[in-house]
Amino acid sequence: MDTETLLGLAFILPVLGLLVMIGMPTHWQNVQGWLMVSYLGLPGAILVIALVVNVPVLLFGALFLLGIAAASR
């Protein structure tokens, strides 16, 4: 990855984190919560989505487990 990409990620993740913070509980709405969501939560979610898209077995497994969870309720 080049420098422009890294700088772009360093600046866009906090902005996306601000959007996510709108739906967070009140006790998470502070600087520490915002930074944790920005630099840990969003990249983690993007990584999970990328894995599910690139490995279809994970997607079907997740759908199967969601079906079992929904049936048990």
Side-chain angles (χ1 to χ4, degrees):
M1 291 175 57
D2 58 347
T3 307
E4 291 177 1
T5 304
L6 290 175
L7 287 175
L9 282 174
F11 287 119
I12 198 66
L13 284 176
V15 173
L16 292 174
L18 286 174
L19 290 174
V20 171
M21 291 303 286
I22 293 170
M24 296 295 281
T26 310
H27 62 276
W28 275 83
Q29 292 182 0
N30 53 30
V31 175
Q32 291 87 4
W34 171 57
L35 289 175
M36 192 177 341
V37 165
S38 296
Y39 289 118
L40 294 176
L42 291 174
I46 292 169
L47 183 66
V48 168
I49 291 169
L51 280 174
V52 168
V53 168
N54 287 328
V55 184
V57 174
L58 291 176
L59 176 63
F60 292 119
L63 289 175
F64 179 73
L65 291 175
L66 283 173
I68 290 174
S72 67
R73 289 184 183 207

